[in-house]
Amino acid sequence: MASNGEERRSSSPSWAGTGTEPSSTADSTQLDTTEDFEVLEEEEEDEDLSELPPLEDVGRPPAPPRENAQPAGEAAEDPQEWLDVLGSGLLKKKTLVPGQGVETRPRKGQDVTVRLKATLEDGSVVEENPALTFTLGDCDVLQALDLCVQLLEMGETALIQSDAKYCYGVQGRSPDVPPNAALSLEVELLAARDAPDLELLSGKEKIELANRKRERGNFFYQQADYVLAINSYDIALKVITSSSKVDFSPEEEAELLDVKVKCLNNLAASQLKLDHYEAALKSCNLVLEHQPENIKALFRKGKVLAQQGEYREAIPILKAALKLEPSNKTIHAELSKLVKKHADQRSLETEMYRKMLGNPSAAGAPGKCKDKLPWSIPWKWLFGATAIALGGVALSVVIAARN
């Protein structure tokens, strides 16, 4: 487990994502009035997404830290070229202190521990962590860090310059990182080890790990990076649903289920943002299998069906959600909008049917419709049919008489 590093990270929301865990009751009873996402800002500290910005541009690296005068001196004596990590000039790495060889580089999926110092272009320190631990390749930290640590050798100290795209971007991080601010990261790789076996995690460890992945998904959701949000929620769900060789207490089982429901609800919200309606519907249904009266799942399922034009199916689902929480303005607004759309849809279908039947103006002359009903047979036709029938009877009589 990466518990030590993660505990330190919890005090540095810039790298970990969010803060402390909220109550499950609040999470399951309210909806954000402006977004169809899990209520992370208004009622749950744990799911507060306000600190989740994108990434920032990086200018020239600041002067080497004074506290590390020796490494900086070594770098000055033996300068090395910058490595263009992505080939675009947006993410660069330069070795300050050489490591122990290429074969000591960490692998994706391993838990790594690094010493980190992040500064703005003016030299202001915005982040400092002597032992930050995270799972490499899971996007648990800024992308600039996640991408470049894979290139570090054990014991290596490197300077990383990253564009906004791979750090905090247009949102920045209040109050210390302004929007589109350039960052320089000084990183030293301290350790790398295989991630723990999920089957051997205790209930508490599994809950903590799943929550960290979920919080990271919340981070990406707030950044509007819904693909990475889905990735983080999927990782959290894999942790929760993995088999275990350890017995959990009833309380731990209940808490794992609560985290699972939150992940599925947020996963559905992310999928809905990407117009992945079938996937979002599946996520909602999985929540409702565990909690048939989960308001968020009902609300999102109604929205998914509405997006698919299934108004008749969506309306009763939203009514069920509103019955559970009559004062919820978000559900009220969505239901009212849906009822109007359904009425408009029915009017359009009715008009289309009238045109198909060759009576586009029937709405203005309802009396004429009755004349065109299948059982409204013109009297001329009826008279002619009667005459033919009588003629046939007379002819039969004449033929019989002759015989």
Side-chain angles (χ1 to χ4, degrees):
M1 288 295 298
S3 57
N4 293 337
E6 294 293 349
E7 288 171 4
R8 294 186 180 91
R9 210 180 341 163
S10 64
S11 63
S12 305
S14 59
W15 311 107
T18 56
T20 57
E21 191 64 24
S23 66
S24 59
T25 302
D27 179 76
S28 62
T29 57
Q30 292 188 12
L31 291 164
D32 193 325
T33 56
T34 59
E35 199 47 82
D36 62 338
F37 182 54
E38 198 79 42
V39 179
L40 307 172
E41 298 183 20
E42 297 181 2
E43 52 177 271
E44 307 182 24
E45 272 186 32
D46 168 9
E47 294 186 341
D48 184 359
L49 300 183
S50 60
E51 298 176 343
L52 310 170
L55 318 171
E56 291 146 19
D57 205 347
V58 180
R60 293 186 175 278
R66 298 185 182 280
E67 61 182 351
N68 288 335
Q70 184 175 356
E74 292 178 21
E77 293 173 5
D78 185 20
Q80 297 192 27
E81 295 294 329
W82 285 94
L83 172 65
D84 190 348
V85 177
L86 300 175
S88 61
L90 301 180
L91 184 62
K92 298 185 295 181
K93 165 190 172 290
K94 181 169 72 173
T95 299
L96 300 179
V97 178
Q100 301 171 13
V102 175
E103 67 278 0
T104 65
R105 287 179 178 176
R107 304 184 306 275
K108 284 186 178 181
Q110 286 189 314
D111 284 346
V112 297
T113 301
V114 302
R115 176 184 61 80
L116 172 69
K117 185 173 183 178
T119 58
L120 298 173
E121 285 184 298
D122 62 4
S124 302
V125 178
V126 295
E127 194 74 32
E128 199 160 14
N129 195 323
L132 171 65
T133 299
F134 59 94
T135 303
L136 193 59
D138 275 11
C139 294
D140 289 344
V141 291
L142 295 182
Q143 287 179 293
L145 190 60
D146 203 25
L147 291 170
C148 290
V149 168
Q150 300 178 42
L151 303 175
L152 296 184
E153 300 171 4
M154 191 60 60
E156 177 182 351
T157 299
L159 188 63
I160 299 168
Q161 290 187 338
S162 174
D163 182 77
K165 189 176 182 180
Y166 308 105
C167 292
Y168 288 106
V170 295
Q171 297 184 36
R173 185 190 71 187
S174 179
D176 54 351
V177 180
N180 291 313
L183 284 181
S184 292
L185 312 175
E186 183 179 299
V187 186
E188 178 185 2
L189 181 59
L190 302 176
R193 59 186 178 277
D194 292 338
D197 187 343
L198 295 179
E199 291 187 341
L200 301 179
L201 293 181
S202 66
K204 182 180 179 180
E205 289 172 329
K206 183 170 279 195
I207 291 167
E208 289 176 351
L209 180 58
N211 268 325
R212 286 200 299 273
K213 303 301 182 181
R214 177 178 62 84
E215 290 164 7
R216 195 60 185 170
N218 296 348
F219 174 96
F220 289 122
Y221 185 97
Q222 186 67 17
Q223 287 184 308
D225 195 336
Y226 306 116
V227 172
L228 287 181
I230 288 173
N231 178 68
S232 293
Y233 294 135
D234 278 338
I235 294 174
L237 288 168
K238 288 177 181 176
V239 171
I240 296 169
T241 58
S242 62
S243 59
S244 179
K245 297 179 180 178
V246 180
D247 293 330
F248 301 152
S249 67
E251 292 78 15
E252 289 171 335
E253 292 282 5
E255 194 168 352
L256 278 170
L257 178 59
D258 181 61
V259 178
K260 179 180 181 180
V261 166
K262 289 178 182 178
C263 287
L264 287 169
N265 260 330
N266 292 353
L267 180 61
S270 302
Q271 292 163 334
L272 189 56
K273 288 290 188 180
L274 294 174
D275 297 338
H276 295 170
Y277 299 131
E278 292 301 325
L281 190 60
K282 181 178 178 181
S283 297
C284 291
N285 286 333
L286 287 172
V287 173
L288 295 173
E289 285 180 10
H290 297 294
Q291 297 178 359
E293 294 187 346
N294 185 287
I295 294 176
K296 289 186 175 119
L298 288 171
F299 177 74
R300 292 201 182 94
K301 182 175 182 179
K303 288 202 70 173
V304 170
L305 291 171
Q307 290 290 344
Q308 294 178 311
E310 303 291 344
Y311 303 129
R312 184 176 300 176
E313 290 78 6
I315 288 174
I317 293 175
L318 288 181
K319 285 182 177 179
L322 190 60
K323 185 177 180 181
L324 293 169
E325 194 171 303
S327 62
N328 192 299
K329 295 180 180 179
T330 302
I331 303 177
H332 267 293
E334 189 68 23
L335 184 57
S336 298
K337 182 172 65 176
L338 211 55
V339 169
K340 184 180 183 303
K341 285 184 177 181
H342 189 214
D344 292 343
Q345 183 188 55
R346 293 178 64 183
S347 298
L348 187 63
E349 290 175 350
T350 301
E351 185 63 25
M352 181 180 66
Y353 293 149
R354 284 173 179 159
K355 290 181 179 180
M356 290 173 63
L357 294 173
N359 187 24
S361 60
K368 294 182 180 180
C369 285
K370 295 181 180 179
D371 295 337
K372 293 185 177 293
L373 293 176
W375 45 265
S376 299
I377 303 175
W379 65 271
K380 292 181 180 179
W381 292 8
L382 183 61
F383 178 79
T386 303
I388 293 173
L390 291 175
V393 171
L395 181 60
S396 299
V397 172
V398 171
I399 293 173
R402 288 181 178 180
N403 292 335

